[in-house]
Amino acid sequence: MKKPAILFFFSFISFGLVQAQEKAGWNTPMHKIQFVADENEQASMSVDRGYKFADLEYNGRTYRIFFNRDQASFKKARIVDQESKLEIARGRGNIYWGSGRFEFIDGEVLKLKKKSNPNGYRIIGPFGTLFEVENQGINPVKTLSEKDFLAQAFFVFDRIKSTQSPPSDEVMIIYATYSHNP
């Protein structure tokens, strides 16, 4: 009589543990951004509330856009395919001096240059204007290829990161120790 009861008890506990490990309850609160990539297609970008990374959903694929080690320098720009976890593009050079470029994993290189004006700037790619900020707001610019669009999405994330600051409603825990020496 004891053995079936103990066996039932342990099987019930192990079943509960297996079920508890199936679903992950972790998710990061994100800001959602919708923009039109083509006439028929829309892309969705979700930006982390701390502005550390952005997830871009485009053409049925998901990309992660971020700065390596969170250093906001164009040389640290990265675009990663979320399914394969492979880096598909990285920033090189300096966009201010005209030596900036996105190098893609297939060998294609997008050369970029930044031209400033008093109330904004333009990022110029190989086929013309790729990204434009005018009167401190982002202007829509039509792209010609998927790689142009990925580079443009990176600059949208960069503009959001540079103009916003993380929310201050995060929880702060301060530890204080008290020692009394008699």
Side-chain angles (χ1 to χ4, degrees):
M1 179 78 176
K2 275 185 165 180
K3 288 183 180 180
I6 291 173
L7 183 64
F8 176 74
F9 178 72
F10 282 119
S11 66
F12 181 72
I13 289 176
S14 65
F15 179 73
L17 291 175
V18 169
Q19 292 291 2
Q21 293 179 1
E22 283 183 11
K23 297 178 184 175
W26 295 95
N27 62 3
T28 306
M30 306 285 265
H31 297 293
K32 297 282 187 187
I33 301 166
Q34 297 286 334
F35 52 97
V36 177
D38 291 332
E39 293 84 25
N40 302 337
E41 295 184 25
Q42 289 190 357
S44 172
M45 183 184 286
S46 302
V47 180
D48 172 46
R49 293 181 94 188
Y51 305 106
K52 302 283 186 190
F53 66 91
D55 288 335
L56 176 70
E57 294 177 20
Y58 176 66
N59 279 345
R61 295 176 67 187
T62 305
Y63 303 96
R64 176 146 302 163
I65 300 169
F66 62 97
F67 287 104
N68 191 28
R69 299 182 186 220
D70 199 32
Q71 296 175 355
S73 168
F74 184 72
K75 294 177 187 179
K76 302 291 184 175
R78 303 291 188 265
I79 301 174
V80 174
D81 183 9
Q82 283 295 91
E83 292 175 17
S84 65
K85 304 293 185 206
L86 294 174
E87 180 180 287
I88 61 168
R90 74 175 15 190
R92 295 283 191 199
N94 190 335
I95 60 174
Y96 296 106
W97 301 108
S99 64
R101 60 198 180 277
F102 261 115
E103 294 180 352
F104 286 88
I105 196 167
D106 64 357
E108 187 175 340
V109 176
L110 285 178
K111 293 183 179 180
L112 306 169
K113 185 173 184 175
K114 183 175 183 177
K115 289 195 174 184
S116 296
N117 62 36
N119 288 319
Y121 58 91
R122 290 186 308 157
I123 305 293
I124 300 173
F127 305 112
T129 302
L130 182 67
F131 179 76
E132 185 174 16
V133 173
E134 187 176 66
N135 296 328
Q136 306 303 332
I138 298 173
N139 278 352
V141 176
K142 184 176 169 87
T143 58
L144 298 176
S145 68
E146 181 179 7
K147 292 178 180 168
D148 285 348
F149 179 73
L150 290 174
Q152 185 184 61
F154 171 79
F155 288 112
V156 169
F157 167 67
D158 182 41
R159 180 68 180 172
I160 291 169
K161 182 178 176 66
S162 65
T163 59
Q164 304 296 314
S165 61
S168 61
D169 61 350
E170 295 181 17
V171 176
M172 265 190 174
I173 300 174
I174 300 172
Y175 291 102
T177 58
Y178 176 73
S179 65
H180 178 66
N181 293 332

